[in-house]
Amino acid sequence: ALANLLPKLKANKRVPVMIVQHMPPLFTQHLANRLSSLTGTPVHEAHDQQTLQPGEFYIAPGGFHMEVARKGDTLQAHLTQDPPLHSCRPAADILFRSAAAVTGPATLAVVLTGMGRDGLAGCQEITTAGGQVLVQDELTSVVWGMPGHVARAGLAQAVLPIDELGDEVLR
């Protein structure tokens, strides 16, 4: 799903994109390298206190939760090894909650195929803060757990096939 979505987002030069993928340590760096070659855009395995650049992608390293933090006029990645949430570290809820608190109505969350309910509570906070949520549809998802929970809770502004999500994100 990421290999399909990210090449379409390389036209985005306004905001950084933060990614949580439920993967163990070492695998996330390989994923970042693969996605960089596919997109032609820098995809970084984030490090703590890294300044987030508009138009670039940041993946939470396996074994670390990733949050967004504000330092002056810049946004930074903040990494922690707090306990797993939903048996996951990194967890989407951790990132989404921090984004809701830091960027509020300017937050856009996209929930792609995945197992479990990680992301549901964070999407609730994003919508409460005035942000928006998009989810991948059931037909194009390998597993409709994460996006399905968000869609059934009525938190998604749109439920779209993976091929249409990129254009909607850019809009």
Side-chain angles (χ1 to χ4, degrees), residues 96-164:
F96 290 172
R97 287 175 180 158
S98 69
V102 172
T103 59
T107 304
L108 172 61
V110 179
V111 182
L112 303 177
T113 182
M115 293 186 348
R117 58 187 306 120
D118 184 27
L120 176 61
C123 286
Q124 177 64 60
E125 292 192 33
I126 288 170
T127 58
T128 298
Q132 296 182 47
V133 177
L134 305 174
V135 300
Q136 184 177 354
D137 72 347
E138 186 172 12
L139 186 63
T140 63
S141 292
V142 175
V143 178
W144 207 53
M146 292 173 61
H149 282 290
V150 174
R152 285 189 297 275
L155 299 173
Q157 279 69 44
V159 179
L160 298 168
I162 189 68
D163 291 340
E164 295 177 24

Side-chain angles (χ1 to χ4, degrees), residues 14-142:
R14 298 179 302 167
V15 297
V17 175
M18 300 176 80
I19 302 164
V20 168
Q21 178 73 37
H22 297 155
M23 295 180 91
L26 303 177
F27 288 89
T28 49
Q29 183 60 59
H30 294 295
L31 178 62
N33 293 341
R34 180 170 175 265
L35 292 171
S36 286
S37 68
L38 284 172
T39 63
T41 301
V43 179
H44 310 278
E45 184 180 55
H47 61 268
D48 194 36
Q49 298 181 22
Q50 180 174 17
T51 298
L52 304 174
Q53 299 296 325
E56 295 189 13
F57 305 111
Y58 301 87
I59 296 177
F64 289 86
H65 291 304
M66 181 169 64
E67 299 173 308
V68 61
R70 185 174 300 282
K71 184 172 184 181
D73 291 338
T74 64
L75 296 176
Q76 292 184 334
H78 177 66
L79 303 180
T80 73
Q81 286 191 304
D82 289 344
L85 181 62
H86 313 295
S87 301
C88 299
R89 189 175 59 207
D93 274 334
I94 302 290
L95 175 60
F96 290 172
R97 287 175 180 158
S98 69
V102 172
T103 59
T107 304
L108 172 61
V110 179
V111 182
L112 303 177
T113 182
M115 293 186 348
R117 58 187 306 120
D118 184 27
L120 176 61
C123 286
Q124 177 64 60
E125 292 192 33
I126 288 170
T127 58
T128 298
Q132 296 182 47
V133 177
L134 305 174
V135 300
Q136 184 177 354
D137 72 347
E138 186 172 12
L139 186 63
T140 63
S141 292
V142 175

Side-chain angles (χ1 to χ4, degrees), residues 4-5 8-9 161-171:
N4 185 305
L5 180 63
K8 296 175 183 178
L9 299 185
I162 189 68
D163 291 340
E164 295 177 24
L165 275 169
D167 290 336
E168 186 64 22
V169 169
L170 292 176
R171 265 191 290 287

